[in-house]
Amino acid sequence: CQARKFADYENDYSVFPTHVVTAIERDSGFGGEGDVLVREYDYGDASYDPVETEMRGFRWVVERDVGRGRRTEIEYEQPADVYDEAQRAAVRYFKGKQRRVRVVDLANNRTLSETAFTWRAAPAGPRMQVNLQSRTTTAWGTAGTSWQTVQANYTYDAYNNVTSVTETDPQD
Protein backbone atom coordinates (compact mmCIF):
# COMPACT_ATOMS: atom_id res chain seq x y z
CA CYS A 1 0.00 0.00 0.00
CA GLN A 2 1.44 3.37 -1.00
CA ALA A 3 0.07 5.11 2.13
CA ARG A 4 1.79 2.55 4.38
CA LYS A 5 5.09 3.04 2.51
CA PHE A 6 4.79 6.82 2.86
CA ALA A 7 3.90 6.57 6.53
CA ASP A 8 6.76 4.18 7.27
CA TYR A 9 9.21 6.52 5.59
CA GLU A 10 7.96 9.92 6.73
CA ASN A 11 6.03 9.29 9.94
CA ASP A 12 6.28 6.24 12.18
CA TYR A 13 3.03 7.05 13.99
CA SER A 14 0.50 7.58 11.22
CA VAL A 15 -0.46 5.19 8.46
CA PHE A 16 -1.55 7.94 6.08
CA PRO A 17 -0.59 11.52 5.18
CA THR A 18 -2.40 14.08 7.29
CA HIS A 19 -3.22 17.62 6.17
CA VAL A 20 -2.68 20.25 8.86
CA VAL A 21 -2.83 24.03 9.16
CA THR A 22 0.68 25.51 9.24
CA ALA A 23 -0.24 29.20 9.53
CA ILE A 24 -3.21 31.52 9.94
CA GLU A 25 -2.98 35.13 8.80
CA ARG A 26 -5.57 37.70 9.87
CA ASP A 27 -5.89 41.34 9.03
CA SER A 28 -6.21 43.29 12.28
CA GLY A 29 -8.32 45.98 10.61
CA PHE A 30 -5.79 48.69 11.39
CA GLY A 31 -3.77 50.20 8.57
CA GLY A 32 -0.02 50.42 8.46
CA GLU A 33 2.81 48.15 9.45
CA GLY A 34 1.96 45.11 11.52
CA ASP A 35 -1.70 44.97 10.57
CA VAL A 36 -1.46 41.30 9.56
CA LEU A 37 -1.43 38.94 12.53
CA VAL A 38 0.27 35.59 11.90
CA ARG A 39 0.11 32.41 13.94
CA GLU A 40 2.25 29.48 12.86
CA TYR A 41 1.70 25.84 13.89
CA ASP A 42 3.85 22.74 14.27
CA TYR A 43 2.56 19.26 15.14
CA GLY A 44 4.23 16.16 16.46
CA ASP A 45 3.74 12.51 17.28
CA ALA A 46 0.73 11.78 15.09
CA SER A 47 -1.22 9.07 16.86
CA TYR A 48 -2.87 6.29 14.91
CA ASP A 49 -4.56 3.54 16.92
CA PRO A 50 -4.13 0.23 15.07
CA VAL A 51 -6.44 -1.61 17.49
CA GLU A 52 -9.40 0.74 16.96
CA THR A 53 -8.17 1.77 13.48
CA GLU A 54 -8.57 5.50 13.96
CA MET A 55 -6.44 8.62 13.70
CA ARG A 56 -6.29 10.04 17.23
CA GLY A 57 -4.66 13.35 16.39
CA PHE A 58 -1.31 14.59 17.62
CA ARG A 59 0.43 14.26 20.96
CA TRP A 60 1.56 17.90 20.80
CA VAL A 61 0.91 21.15 18.93
CA VAL A 62 3.03 24.32 19.04
CA GLU A 63 1.52 27.70 18.15
CA ARG A 64 3.88 30.63 17.53
CA ASP A 65 2.35 34.08 17.76
CA VAL A 66 5.25 36.22 16.56
CA GLY A 67 3.33 39.49 16.91
CA ARG A 68 2.77 38.90 20.62
CA GLY A 69 6.15 37.25 21.05
CA ARG A 70 4.75 34.03 22.46
CA ARG A 71 4.88 30.31 21.80
CA THR A 72 2.17 28.04 23.19
CA GLU A 73 2.99 24.35 23.54
CA ILE A 74 0.01 22.02 24.02
CA GLU A 75 0.36 18.34 24.96
CA TYR A 76 -2.55 15.95 24.55
CA GLU A 77 -3.35 12.58 26.08
CA GLN A 78 -2.84 9.97 23.36
CA PRO A 79 -3.14 6.46 24.79
CA ALA A 80 -2.97 4.76 21.38
CA ASP A 81 0.39 3.25 22.29
CA VAL A 82 -1.13 1.35 25.24
CA TYR A 83 -1.78 -2.23 24.14
CA ASP A 84 -2.50 -3.97 27.45
CA GLU A 85 -6.29 -4.46 27.54
CA ALA A 86 -6.72 -3.52 31.23
CA GLN A 87 -4.61 -0.36 30.90
CA ARG A 88 -6.27 0.49 27.60
CA ALA A 89 -9.75 0.31 29.15
CA ALA A 90 -8.63 2.68 31.91
CA VAL A 91 -7.16 5.38 29.64
CA ARG A 92 -9.19 5.22 26.42
CA TYR A 93 -11.66 7.89 27.52
CA PHE A 94 -8.95 10.52 27.85
CA LYS A 95 -7.77 10.46 24.23
CA GLY A 96 -7.34 13.96 22.87
CA LYS A 97 -7.73 15.70 26.24
CA GLN A 98 -5.21 18.38 27.10
CA ARG A 99 -2.44 17.20 29.42
CA ARG A 100 -0.33 20.36 29.61
CA VAL A 101 -0.26 23.88 28.15
CA ARG A 102 2.92 25.93 28.38
CA VAL A 103 3.32 29.56 27.25
CA VAL A 104 6.87 30.73 26.45
CA ASP A 105 8.32 34.18 25.72
CA LEU A 106 9.93 34.00 22.25
CA ALA A 107 12.51 36.69 23.02
CA ASN A 108 14.31 34.81 25.81
CA ASN A 109 12.72 31.33 25.72
CA ARG A 110 11.44 31.88 29.28
CA THR A 111 8.31 30.06 30.49
CA LEU A 112 5.54 32.53 31.32
CA SER A 113 2.93 30.02 32.49
CA GLU A 114 2.23 26.33 32.56
CA THR A 115 -1.09 24.56 33.16
CA ALA A 116 -1.50 20.85 33.92
CA PHE A 117 -4.83 19.04 33.66
CA THR A 118 -6.16 15.83 35.23
CA TRP A 119 -9.30 14.10 34.03
CA ARG A 120 -11.76 11.54 35.38
CA ALA A 121 -14.20 9.22 33.68
CA ALA A 122 -17.57 8.73 35.37
CA PRO A 123 -20.55 6.61 34.32
CA ALA A 124 -23.36 8.50 32.60
CA GLY A 125 -26.00 5.90 31.96
CA PRO A 126 -24.64 3.37 29.46
CA ARG A 127 -21.74 5.69 28.50
CA MET A 128 -18.78 7.29 30.23
CA GLN A 129 -18.56 11.05 30.77
CA VAL A 130 -15.09 12.60 30.92
CA ASN A 131 -14.81 15.52 33.34
CA LEU A 132 -12.01 17.85 34.27
CA GLN A 133 -10.85 16.83 37.75
CA SER A 134 -8.20 19.49 38.37
CA ARG A 135 -6.27 22.25 36.68
CA THR A 136 -3.03 23.63 38.10
CA THR A 137 -1.59 26.82 36.62
CA THR A 138 1.78 28.29 37.54
CA ALA A 139 2.87 31.74 36.36
CA TRP A 140 6.48 32.91 36.49
CA GLY A 141 7.77 36.39 37.19
CA THR A 142 10.35 38.31 35.18
CA ALA A 143 13.21 36.83 37.24
CA GLY A 144 12.13 33.33 36.20
CA THR A 145 10.93 32.38 39.67
CA SER A 146 7.48 30.95 40.36
CA TRP A 147 5.19 33.89 40.96
CA GLN A 148 1.82 32.30 41.56
CA THR A 149 0.29 28.83 41.44
CA VAL A 150 -3.46 28.26 41.41
CA GLN A 151 -5.06 24.84 41.58
CA ALA A 152 -8.72 24.40 40.69
CA ASN A 153 -10.50 21.22 41.77
CA TYR A 154 -13.86 20.32 40.28
CA THR A 155 -16.64 18.31 41.90
CA TYR A 156 -19.67 16.87 40.10
CA ASP A 157 -23.09 15.54 41.03
CA ALA A 158 -24.50 12.15 40.03
CA TYR A 159 -25.50 13.60 36.63
CA ASN A 160 -21.95 14.87 35.95
CA ASN A 161 -22.88 18.53 36.39
CA VAL A 162 -20.25 20.75 38.03
CA THR A 163 -21.38 21.47 41.59
CA SER A 164 -18.31 23.37 42.78
CA VAL A 165 -14.93 24.66 41.74
CA THR A 166 -12.45 25.21 44.53
CA GLU A 167 -9.40 27.32 43.74
CA THR A 168 -6.41 27.23 46.07
CA ASP A 169 -2.77 28.23 46.08
CA PRO A 170 -0.86 25.04 46.95
CA GLN A 171 2.05 27.18 48.18
CA ASP A 172 -0.05 28.70 51.00
Side-chain angles (χ1 to χ4, degrees):
C1 170
Q2 187 64 27
R4 171 69 70 181
K5 181 179 177 187
F6 177 84
D8 288 346
Y9 179 73
E10 294 289 331
N11 182 347
D12 292 335
Y13 299 98
S14 180
V15 297
F16 46 83
T18 304
H19 298 279
V20 295
V21 173
T22 57
I24 296 176
E25 293 184 9
R26 281 190 323 203
D27 190 320
S28 68
F30 299 105
E33 186 177 325
D35 68 331
V36 175
L37 307 174
V38 179
R39 290 188 177 175
E40 301 170 335
Y41 299 89
D42 291 317
Y43 305 82
D45 291 344
S47 182
Y48 176 78
D49 187 338
V51 175
E52 299 197 22
T53 62
E54 68 179 1
M55 171 63 174
R56 291 274 174 99
F58 295 90
R59 193 173 302 274
W60 57 264
V61 175
V62 174
E63 175 190 81
R64 282 180 311 286
D65 186 342
V66 179
R68 293 177 60 204
R70 294 193 177 160
R71 178 179 75 234
T72 303
E73 303 166 352
I74 306 168
E75 278 183 50
Y76 296 94
E77 298 285 349
Q78 291 296 0
D81 51 3
V82 176
Y83 295 105
D84 177 74
E85 282 300 318
Q87 289 179 326
R88 189 177 189 75
V91 298
R92 68 175 295 169
Y93 302 107
F94 307 116
K95 61 185 176 184
K97 297 295 182 192
Q98 288 184 343
R99 176 187 296 169
R100 181 180 72 94
V101 176
R102 182 175 167 233
V103 179
V104 177
D105 185 332
L106 286 174
N108 56 21
N109 208 32
R110 185 176 54 83
T111 300
L112 301 173
S113 69
E114 186 169 323
T115 302
F117 302 89
T118 59
W119 302 90
R120 73 178 189 109
R127 301 177 311 172
M128 294 295 278
Q129 175 72 38
V130 177
N131 299 320
L132 182 59
Q133 185 173 347
S134 69
R135 173 185 40 104
T136 304
T137 301
T138 302
W140 281 268
T142 55
T145 57
S146 176
W147 172 62
Q148 181 181 16
T149 298
V150 176
Q151 182 171 349
N153 294 304
Y154 299 80
T155 56
Y156 300 84
D157 64 16
Y159 302 103
N160 290 306
N161 297 309
V162 175
T163 57
S164 69
V165 178
T166 306
E167 288 192 353
T168 59
D169 183 345
Q171 298 173 345
D172 286 344

